[in-house]
Amino acid sequence: METVTSADGTAIAYDRLGSGHPLVLVGGALCDRESLRPLADVLASDFDVVTYDRRGRGDSGDGTPYAVRREVDDIAALVTALGGTAAIYGHSSGAGLAAIAASTGVPFTHVMLHEPPYGPDDVDPSDDGDQVLELIREGQNREAVELFLMMTGMPKQEALEYAPSLADRAPTLAYDFAVMGHGLTGTGTPVELLRAIKPETLVLAGTASAPFMVDAAHRIVTMLPAAELVELAGHHHVVPPELLAPVLTDFVSRR
């Protein structure tokens, strides 16, 4: 483990492995740097790859008050540690964060967005998002995680089993909601934000994922200045690293 200091003085913990083109991996809701470590292990033969604890998780600090811009600063500090430029891969709400960072001009060579959960523009976010935030404010972290996991489609019994081990990360769900706008699927597609992303961009979606995520991938690729869509046939929201890594490597190597 190494650390970098973000613009507000918060220490951000990260692991770095491999050699090659610099690459930052950004996890989604409730994930820490170990969540993407299996993918990093496969990518390490081609990349100088970083997995990190987003602020408020794992070994990273959590400067207050929270602002999405602070998370962008965290990524910028990591890119600086990698030499000043890097590719970025974000998964789920981590893809939403990667998109925001790219839109602000963080020096990325390539941007890879894996199922950012942008909701349909004509559908209001679920009230469940408000309930999750209220549970967090009340200190009911386990219950907040349970509800969030069920919002993502996890069966109730599985949510009850997973929630205790993730309860300490519950407060960071508010950060992911802020990144995505609000609620599970945000408040629609951030058109102007996406149009501001200049680097070559890969948008990924599994054909067996939730329909709104597949729809979002098709929708946003038309808004990005330089993008291509890759559908991962038969796969859900989480794709085995040995199948995902070659897609990312191919994109970076030929762009």
Side-chain angles (χ1 to χ4, degrees):
M1 188 191 80
E2 301 179 60
T3 62
V4 293
T5 303
S6 193
D8 69 345
T10 299
I12 302 298
Y14 69 98
D15 292 331
R16 184 175 181 178
L17 63 159
S19 61
H21 194 102
L23 171 63
V24 176
L25 305 184
V26 187
L30 300 173
C31 293
D32 63 7
R33 71 182 190 275
E34 290 301 316
S35 302
L36 288 176
R37 181 57 186 260
L39 176 60
D41 286 338
V42 181
L43 290 168
S45 59
D46 296 292
F47 293 95
D48 180 4
V49 59
V50 157
T51 63
Y52 75 104
D53 289 332
R54 288 173 55 187
R55 60 175 52 217
R57 311 178 194 193
D59 293 304
S60 288
D62 190 13
T64 56
Y66 176 80
V68 175
R69 178 68 220 191
R70 293 178 187 264
E71 287 217 71
V72 172
D73 290 340
D74 300 344
I75 293 173
L78 291 166
V79 172
T80 297
L82 284 168
T85 61
I88 190 166
Y89 164 85
H91 181 255
S92 196
S93 57
L97 179 57
I100 294 170
S103 75
T104 65
V106 177
F108 299 128
T109 58
H110 309 76
V111 177
M112 294 166 279
L113 307 178
H114 192 164
E115 295 190 5
Y118 299 127
D121 297 332
D122 58 352
V123 176
D124 291 331
S126 168
D127 289 341
D128 286 345
D130 289 322
Q131 294 179 40
V132 170
L133 294 173
E134 182 60 29
L135 288 169
I136 293 169
R137 284 191 289 268
E138 294 173 353
Q140 299 184 58
N141 289 354
R142 179 179 55 79
E143 291 82 357
V145 172
E146 289 171 3
L147 178 55
F148 177 78
L149 293 176
M150 287 187 285
M151 287 170 61
T152 67
M154 183 179 288
K156 181 176 182 179
Q157 188 55 45
E158 288 186 39
L160 294 175
E161 293 172 1
Y162 278 104
S165 64
L166 297 171
D168 63 333
R169 299 179 202 167
T172 66
L173 288 173
Y175 304 172
D176 288 281
F177 286 175
V179 166
M180 298 311 303
H182 183 59
L184 173 63
T185 60
T187 52
T189 309
V191 177
E192 295 306 314
L193 184 154
L194 293 168
R195 287 177 176 167
I197 297 175
K198 303 305 182 186
E200 300 281 352
T201 304
L202 176 66
V203 180
L204 300 122
T207 59
S209 289
F212 85 86
M213 288 190 175
V214 180
D215 291 344
H218 282 265
R219 189 165 63 250
I220 68 175
V221 78
T222 66
M223 301 172 185
L224 292 157
E228 68 176 83
L229 172 69
V230 170
E231 290 190 302
L232 303 165
H235 288 287
H236 295 268
H237 192 49
V238 177
V239 177
E242 63 272 15
L243 298 178
L244 177 59
V247 178
L248 306 183
T249 301
D250 176 68
F251 174 72
V252 174
S253 66
R254 59 184 171 81
R255 293 280 184 164

